[in-house]
Amino acid sequence: YHQRTRSRVRGRRIHGKLAPYCKRLTVIDVVPRAIARTRQRMKESSHINWIVADVRQFSTQQLFDLIVVAEVLYYLEDVAAIRTAVHNLVSMLAPSGHMVFGSAIDANCRRWGHVAGTETVIAMLNETLIEVEQ
C-alpha cells in the first residue's frame, strides 16, 4: 500500500504495526496530547504524517488505499455526527481501497453512555461500501 490513514491513536498501537509496511502513513487524532505521545513513541518516522483533527472535518485531496477506524466513532455525540464521519472517511477512500472498522457492539456502547457501535456503523458503511469480511 502506498498511502494509509489511521484515525484516532489514543490507546492504539496499530499505526506502529502498519508503519513498516507503508511508504506513507497518516495518523489522525482529535487530542493533541495523544498525537504527541504516540509521535514520541514512534521515534519521529519521516514517512508518518501526524495530524490533530476531528475525523468529521478532516479533509484532504489524497485518496487512501487503506483506512483503519477502530474504537473511535462511538465517541461522537449522536448518530448524525457518526454518519458525517462515515461519509467523510468514505470520501477519502480510493476506488480500490479498503476500510477496516472496529468497535464494540451497539449494546455495550449504549451501556457505556454512547449512542451507537458496530451494528449502527456497519449499516451506514454498507450504504456505500461492499463488506468483504466480518
Side-chain angles (χ1 to χ4, degrees):
Y1 293 100
H2 297 291
Q3 301 174 48
R4 298 177 189 227
T5 188
R6 163 80 175 111
S7 182
R8 193 80 171 174
V9 298
R10 191 176 323 152
R12 296 277 156 208
R13 294 183 185 247
I14 193 166
H15 47 277
K17 293 179 184 206
L18 284 175
Y21 302 99
C22 301
K23 287 185 179 179
R24 227 173 48 206
L25 175 67
T26 301
V27 180
I28 303 165
D29 198 304
V30 71
V31 180
R33 198 175 90 197
I35 288 281
R37 197 172 46 240
T38 306
R39 191 177 193 170
Q40 182 180 22
R41 189 173 55 237
M42 294 291 295
K43 304 294 185 224
E44 202 61 43
S45 299
S46 63
H47 71 297
I48 301 177
N49 187 20
W50 303 93
I51 299 172
V52 175
D54 185 314
V55 69
R56 293 170 291 182
Q57 288 130 8
F58 175 70
S59 177
T60 180
Q61 296 297 319
Q62 294 177 280
L63 294 179
F64 298 99
D65 58 5
L66 176 65
I67 297 178
V68 178
V69 185
E71 306 301 329
V72 61
L73 296 177
Y74 58 70
Y75 285 106
L76 298 175
E77 64 274 5
D78 56 36
V79 173
I82 293 171
R83 183 172 293 284
T84 298
V86 165
H87 284 296
N88 192 38
L89 290 166
V90 168
S91 75
M92 292 183 278
L93 192 61
S96 61
H98 291 83
M99 182 176 293
V100 175
F101 169 73
S103 176
I105 62 172
D106 280 357
N108 287 349
C109 288
R110 288 189 184 110
R111 193 175 70 240
W112 301 334
H114 303 300
V115 295
T118 297
E119 298 91 335
T120 300
V121 175
I122 294 253
M124 290 177 192
L125 290 169
N126 283 334
E127 293 171 6
T128 52
L129 300 176
I130 298 169
E131 188 173 333
V132 176
E133 187 176 336
Q134 200 173 88

